[in-house]
Amino acid sequence: MGRAHPELSVRFRARKSVPNPLVRGHWQAEFNSLSAEDRRSMTLEFLADVQVMRAAKALVCTHSSNVGRLVALLRDGPTVSLDGEWTNG
C-alpha cells in the first residue's frame, strides 16, 4: 500500500525518558515526584502535542479520552471519534 500523501514527511522527535507509570497515562503522584525541570519539560511537550492536534487538517481521536475531548473542543476542523457517533462539526 502506498502513502496517501508522499509529498508530506513525518518527523519524529526524541521523547524525554519518562518513568514507567507515566508512559501509559498520567499518574499525579509519579508526576509530582519528578524534578521541577522534568515536570516543566513534560508539560511543554504535552502542550506542543495538543497544539499539533489542534492545528491538524483532520483529527481522529477517542472521545473517551480527556485529551481527545479537549483537543476536539479546541479545534475548528473536522474531528472523528473512534468511540462512536461524535463530531465537533
Side-chain angles (χ1 to χ4, degrees):
M1 173 183 262
R3 291 179 53 186
H5 294 281
E7 72 280 5
L8 298 178
S9 65
V10 177
R11 297 178 189 206
F12 294 96
R13 61 181 165 20
R15 289 185 68 105
K16 185 169 179 63
S17 127
V18 296
N20 263 350
L22 294 178
V23 170
R24 299 203 187 276
H26 180 75
W27 297 95
Q28 192 65 48
E30 189 73 28
F31 182 81
N32 290 348
S33 72
L34 299 173
S35 69
E37 179 183 335
D38 285 346
R39 290 193 314 267
R40 181 180 187 278
S41 175
M42 290 180 68
T43 300
L44 292 176
E45 183 174 333
F46 170 74
L47 292 174
D49 289 345
V50 167
Q51 178 59 20
V52 167
M53 291 184 287
R54 191 196 66 74
K57 290 187 181 200
L59 176 67
V60 177
C61 64
T62 56
H63 194 224
S64 58
S65 161
N66 290 336
V67 175
R69 284 194 312 274
L70 170 68
V71 174
L73 293 171
L74 293 173
R75 290 177 45 76
D76 292 325
T79 300
V80 176
S81 173
L82 297 176
D83 293 334
E85 298 298 320
W86 185 89
T87 178
N88 70 338

